């Protein structure tokens, strides 16, 4: 079993720092329910210390703006630091995966993929850092007008527990590449990997204060970060309710926000689809990370003429899925916490009470510790589209199947939730592929494939209850800069 240090301090100014209160929070292993480490419990004073460290890295101590060691670093130098960091993450991939797997409960193979994605984010944004530039604009005679892409300054990053490394990579990688100094608040349920990743950042050459990690509770450290007037931009990934609170706190000091709030993403399977190709993708889209994925394909909408065939084939696969301890590396690990397990149980109790059809259910292996937070994957058939199970994000391994009669109904069902993050479309009809790609209300549409979690290069984000703003890809660099227009009259 992996050994990790018992107590983890905050990471500020490239150093380990104790919180002012001296208090800690327990870290629980979801596979057996046992406490195996402690993290520091930051409060407002610690967040303030981290923000001031970031400000020094960006602005320096004098009066000239952006004159700190990170604020004045050349774009090419920022890129080099990020690429060195990517190499260090690759070199430490196994250790990082082991930490992430134990902390979140995700199977080792999935944690390894997350570490690989983290390195890839830094490689991508490291390469992009010196390719981000403004434009010149044709204006009146005698003028030259240009735009400058400038960093916000100090950015705040509130990270959830489901993919700590990946979400850190996409958010902090882009922010640092664009020249910002960062303060990160990981989720209280999973922050160990990020504390280690931050140390590797210092080794890669990040100057003190360019990246700071404050662990603690959302309502304390997270809220203090969103409220802090020294923060110039906040990026948040998590639940819609908390996202609203963060946006309200940020609005009080006119701080721009990017919100990624999850979804109830549909996959549409038409009768002309390559069903054999679709099946493993449909299953993986809800089973990956035990369904605790913002872009999980949690609804499958199937054309009536193939409905029974597809549900039958999905049921065969679901019945063979196994959940067990993270280190056993099965199809699924446990859910992240007792609270998350209870949430999924509540949804499933409601499904049972409402007489929904449990078409298939995988197993939790016999030797899984009884105190772990396990949930076997469940396939629900014929879920009425207005039912809560077809409308709300469960964040567990529960797939809701619903049938449709024609294309118009398929689109209406797909668009019929308050969310709009990702949609998957399975059909061989080229005209329909293009038509529906336009009609589906989502930030990403995948045709004959599905990208839950992946796609470093692909802009990602939602509409409606799924949030706003875009992360990933080159687009994220724009979000982490502000545009200045300079108009010169020279005659
Ligand atoms: P959450 O939204 O409360 O937590 C996400 C992050 O926000 C964590 O770092 C948390 O510490 C922080 N936070 C909490 N309260 C805060 C506040 N008042 N101010 C600032 N930051 C705060 O999510 P949760 O409670 O861990 O999970 C609840 C549900 O949210 C899940 O069941 C799931 O449906 C959803 N969720 C979605 C995602 C996603 O990727 N979209 C991720 C995690 C959870």
């Amino acid at each position: 079993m992996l050994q990790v240090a018992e107590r983890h301090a905050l990471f500020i100014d490239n150093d380990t720092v104790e919180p002012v209160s001296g208090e800690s929070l327990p870290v629980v292993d979801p596979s057996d329910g046992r406490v195996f480490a402690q993290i520091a419990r930051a409060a407002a004073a610690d967040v303030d210390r981290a923000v001031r460290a970031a400000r020094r890295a960006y602005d320096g101590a004098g009066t000239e703006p952006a004159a700190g060691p990170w604020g004045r670093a050349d774009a090419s130098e920022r890129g080099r630091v990020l690429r060195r960091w990517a190499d260090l993450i690759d070199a430490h991939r196994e250790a990082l995966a082991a930490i992430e797997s134990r902390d979140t409960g995700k199977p080792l193979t999935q944690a390894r993929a997350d570490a690989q994605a983290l390195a890839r984010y830094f490689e991508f944004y490291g390469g992009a850092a010196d390719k981000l530039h403004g434009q010149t604009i044709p204006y009146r005679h005698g003028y030259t007008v240009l735009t400058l892409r400038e960093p916000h300054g100090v950015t705040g990053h509130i990270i959830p527990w489901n993919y700590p490394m990946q979400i850190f990579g996409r958010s902090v990688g882009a922010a640092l590449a664009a020249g910002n100094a960062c303060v990160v608040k990981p989720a209280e349920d999973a922050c160990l990997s990020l504390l280690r990743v931050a140390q590797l950042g210092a080794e890669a050459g990040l100057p003190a204060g360019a990246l700071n990690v404050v662990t603690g509770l959302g309502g304390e450290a997270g809220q203090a970060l969103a409220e802090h007037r020294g923060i110039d931009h906040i990026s948040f990934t998590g639940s819609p309710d908390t996202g609203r609170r963060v946006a309200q706190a940020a609005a009080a000091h006119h701080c721009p926000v990017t919100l990624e709030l999850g979804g109830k993403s549909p996959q549409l399977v038409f009768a002309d689809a390559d069903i054999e190709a679709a099946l493993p993708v449909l299953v993986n889209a809800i089973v990956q990370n035990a369904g605790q994925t913002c872009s999980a394909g949690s609804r499958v909408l199937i054309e009536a003429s193939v409905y029974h065939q597809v549900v039958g084939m999905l049921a065969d696969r679901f019945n063979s899925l196994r959940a067990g301890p993270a280190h056993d590396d099965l199809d699924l690990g446990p859910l992240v916490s007792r609270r998350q397990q209870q949430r999924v149980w509540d949804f499933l109790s409601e499904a049972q009470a409402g007489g929904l059809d449990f078409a298939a259910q995988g197993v939790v292996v016999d030797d899984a510790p009884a105190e772990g937070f396990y949930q076997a994957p469940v396939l629900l058939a014929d879920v009425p589209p207005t039912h809560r199970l077809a409308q709300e994000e469960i964040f567990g391994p529960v797939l809701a199947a619903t049938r449709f009669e024609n294309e118009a109904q398929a689109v209406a069902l797909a668009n019929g939730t308050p969310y709009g993050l990702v949609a998957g479309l399975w059909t061989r009809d080229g005209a329909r592929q293009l038509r529906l790609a336009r009609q589906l209300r989502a930030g990403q549409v995948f045709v004959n494939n599905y990208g839950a979690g992946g796609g470093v290069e692909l802009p990602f984000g939602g509409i409606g209850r799924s949030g706003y703003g875009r992360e990933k890809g080159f687009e994220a660099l724009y979000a982490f800069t502000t545009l200045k227009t300079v108009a010169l009259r020279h005659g």
Side-chain angles (χ1 to χ4, degrees):
M1 179 66 67
L2 168 83
Q3 295 298 315
V4 291
E6 284 196 346
R7 190 166 184 297
H8 299 264
L10 309 172
F11 186 83
I12 298 175
D13 260 337
N14 279 359
D15 208 354
T16 50
V17 171
E18 287 304 320
V20 173
S21 70
E23 286 183 34
S24 320
L25 297 166
V27 182
V28 175
D29 182 339
S31 293
D32 60 17
R34 292 209 198 123
V35 174
F36 69 100
Q38 304 280 329
I39 50 163
R41 175 176 175 173
D46 306 298
V47 169
D48 182 56
R49 182 171 176 178
V51 173
R52 280 187 288 116
R55 182 60 61 190
R56 279 192 302 277
Y58 183 70
D59 274 336
T63 50
E64 189 191 337
W70 193 244
R72 65 167 186 266
D74 290 342
S76 57
E77 171 57 12
R78 298 197 303 265
R80 268 193 296 279
V81 171
L82 282 165
R83 294 197 303 277
R84 277 199 297 270
W85 202 358
D87 290 343
L88 284 171
I89 284 156
D90 267 337
H92 292 80
R93 188 192 303 168
E94 275 308 307
L96 288 169
I99 294 170
E100 192 83 313
S101 172
R102 181 146 192 217
D103 202 7
T104 63
K106 68 178 71 191
L108 265 171
T109 303
Q110 294 178 35
R112 268 185 209 118
D114 288 1
Q116 199 170 0
L118 169 62
R120 175 74 189 115
Y121 276 115
F122 290 163
E123 181 188 55
F124 179 87
Y125 287 117
D130 57 1
K131 283 130 199 122
L132 177 67
H133 53 72
Q135 296 178 321
T136 54
I137 299 173
Y139 189 51
R140 293 192 216 145
H141 175 76
Y143 281 77
T144 296
V145 178
L146 50 106
T147 58
L148 303 176
R149 288 233 161 247
E150 297 182 338
H152 293 290
V154 176
T155 51
H157 305 259
I158 300 176
I159 312 277
W161 40 258
N162 51 345
Y163 290 88
M165 285 196 283
Q166 285 216 35
I167 294 172
F168 177 94
R170 78 184 189 205
S171 171
V172 171
L176 288 172
N180 302 280
C182 304
V183 179
V184 176
K185 211 302 277 173
E188 45 273 50
D189 283 326
C191 40
L192 300 184
S193 61
L194 299 190
L195 290 166
R196 182 71 188 111
V197 167
Q199 289 170 347
L200 294 176
E203 256 180 68
L206 279 177
L211 167 67
N212 309 278
V213 181
V214 280
T215 55
L217 298 173
E220 287 177 2
Q223 186 76 26
L225 187 60
E227 286 172 357
H228 201 294
R229 288 175 185 257
I231 292 288
D232 302 311
H233 179 281
I234 291 265
S235 95
F236 171 85
T237 303
S239 62
D241 286 348
T242 305
R244 194 170 49 242
R245 270 197 292 280
V246 167
Q248 280 166 345
H253 58 108
H254 310 289
C255 175
V257 179
T258 299
L259 297 179
E260 199 272 90
L261 308 176
K264 190 71 181 175
S265 298
Q267 296 217 54
L268 288 68
V269 182
F270 283 86
D272 69 346
D274 180 345
I275 290 169
E276 284 296 339
L279 277 174
V281 182
L282 294 172
V283 173
N284 185 56
I286 186 64
V287 164
Q288 179 181 310
N289 209 31
Q292 303 164 116
T293 304
C294 40
S295 50
S298 51
R299 293 186 293 151
V300 57
L301 309 176
I302 307 167
E303 190 161 5
S305 60
V306 291
Y307 180 80
H308 288 297
Q309 179 199 350
V310 174
V311 167
M313 291 164 100
L314 283 171
D316 286 346
R317 286 176 182 253
F318 265 70
N319 286 330
S320 71
L321 292 169
R322 293 181 310 151
H327 50 82
D328 284 0
D329 209 12
L330 304 175
D331 303 303
L332 299 84
L335 300 173
V336 75
S337 62
R338 176 78 62 210
R339 191 165 71 105
Q340 194 60 25
Q341 186 187 39
Q342 188 60 53
R343 176 185 166 95
V344 176
W345 284 352
D346 289 346
F347 272 103
L348 290 175
S349 307
E350 199 174 323
Q352 232 149 12
L356 290 188
D357 175 5
F358 282 61
Q361 184 151 355
V363 294
V364 176
V365 293
D366 288 341
D367 58 351
E371 297 76 19
F373 312 134
Y374 298 96
Q375 172 59 52
V378 171
L379 172 65
L380 298 171
D382 279 316
V383 180
T386 52
H387 196 286
R388 217 163 76 86
L389 273 287
Q391 285 286 319
E392 300 217 353
E393 182 174 59
I394 300 172
F395 233 56
V398 182
L399 179 60
T402 302
R403 77 183 82 189
F404 63 82
E405 298 295 336
N406 53 45
E407 191 179 298
Q409 194 192 9
V411 173
L413 290 175
N415 292 345
T417 78
Y419 293 98
L421 192 59
V422 177
L425 174 59
W426 295 88
T427 175
R428 288 186 169 102
D429 179 335
R432 177 186 283 151
Q433 292 170 0
L434 288 170
R435 199 163 47 240
L436 266 59
R438 286 173 180 270
Q439 291 177 7
L440 289 168
R441 191 172 168 276
Q444 285 188 331
V445 176
F446 289 94
V447 181
N448 294 333
N449 72 108
Y450 195 80
V456 167
E457 306 84 351
L458 313 181
F460 174 72
I463 47 183
R465 201 170 183 211
S466 293
Y468 48 81
R470 292 294 175 266
E471 296 197 308
K472 299 192 184 184
F474 211 82
E475 204 66 30
L477 292 168
Y478 298 135
F480 284 112
T481 55
T482 179
L483 193 72
K484 179 184 284 175
T485 306
V486 181
L488 298 103
R489 187 164 74 88
H490 39 67

